[in-house]
Amino acid sequence: MVSSVAMASDPSPLQDFCVADKDSKVLVNGFVCKDPKVVKAEDFFSTGLDKAGDTAKKVGSNVTAVNVNKLAGLNTLGISMVRIDYAPRGLNAPHTHPRATEILTVIEGQLFVGFVTSNTDNGNRLFTKMLKKGDVFVFPQGLIHFQFNPGYTNTVAIGALSSQNPGTITIADAVFGSKPPISDEVLAKAFQVDKKTVDWLQAQF
């Protein structure tokens, strides 16, 4: 028995740009393109990455994102970036980007960074590195990763991501702060603790 399948695709952009039309009611995987005739230079422009973010939060870090939601010209281009500010002892808590690999460079200060591999026969392997100014580290797509400022001065890093809308799932927020909450019985069994501990953790979020 002979069978043949013909498939055609073009993953590359088919026009110079596709500036996001955020007013469109059409739902697609991304944003509908604006009419190129009404596109302006401002659609490709953003400001503010020179300003430090507010790190007076519980974890002591702040992420300033430049993605398609802020910069419409990024639509379909497959890139975005972030500025991350860390207070002394500040943490960018364990999280994942379901749609992007991230490459991070330290601009000022130092960072202890790491990521954990997915479930394997050998368990979940942790890769860590201490970074100083000018160092670069890569976090593969979808893997849990973190950054921690172990020093006593502020740290600044810039990250680039391989999606115009990479998404972020902060593990603690998602597990203990979901609405409605995940059953404490489920979480108690998953984390091998009693329900009172789970209830206390959920109350923090």
Side-chain angles (χ1 to χ4, degrees):
M1 186 172 195
V2 177
S3 134
S4 67
V5 176
M7 293 173 39
S9 68
D10 191 338
S12 302
L14 301 179
Q15 60 274 325
D16 289 342
F17 51 77
C18 173
V19 172
D21 181 356
K22 296 178 188 169
D23 295 324
S24 173
K25 302 300 182 200
V26 178
L27 299 177
V28 295
N29 186 20
F31 289 98
V32 173
C33 304
K34 265 189 190 179
D35 182 340
K37 294 190 218 53
V38 301
V39 169
K40 302 172 289 189
E42 285 73 22
D43 291 316
F44 303 96
F45 175 76
S46 181
T47 63
L49 284 192
D50 59 322
K51 295 176 178 59
D54 179 13
T55 58
K57 302 176 180 180
K58 281 186 179 179
V59 293
S61 71
N62 189 89
V63 178
T64 304
V66 181
N67 56 37
V68 71
N69 297 306
K70 184 169 183 183
L71 182 57
L74 287 174
N75 195 40
T76 75
L77 297 184
I79 56 169
S80 59
M81 66 186 304
V82 293
R83 169 184 171 138
I84 314 174
D85 291 278
Y86 310 82
R89 318 300 287 175
L91 171 71
N92 190 8
H95 62 282
T96 71
H97 301 296
R99 296 181 289 275
T101 291
E102 178 180 1
I103 185 167
L104 183 94
T105 184
V106 176
I107 304 300
E108 292 292 340
Q110 60 183 329
L111 285 175
F112 177 68
V113 304
F115 69 85
V116 181
T117 62
S118 54
N119 298 348
T120 67
D121 291 341
N122 298 320
N124 301 98
R125 188 172 174 195
L126 173 65
F127 291 86
T128 62
K129 191 74 177 171
M130 183 66 74
L131 307 181
K132 62 185 187 304
K133 182 177 178 178
D135 290 345
V136 176
F137 198 81
V138 172
F139 305 103
Q141 180 172 339
L143 298 186
I144 294 173
H145 58 284
F146 64 87
Q147 302 109 32
F148 174 67
N149 175 9
Y152 295 93
T153 59
N154 292 334
T155 289
V156 180
I158 295 289
L161 299 109
S162 62
S163 170
Q164 62 264 19
N165 190 16
T168 301
I169 301 170
T170 305
I171 307 307
D173 291 352
V175 172
F176 296 108
S178 69
K179 292 184 175 73
I182 298 172
S183 159
D184 58 2
E185 184 174 3
V186 170
L187 294 180
K189 188 159 186 123
F191 286 93
Q192 297 295 291
V193 296
D194 60 53
K195 290 183 184 179
K196 286 185 180 177
T197 301
V198 170
D199 293 340
W200 181 84
L201 285 166
Q202 287 178 321
Q204 309 311 303
F205 295 89

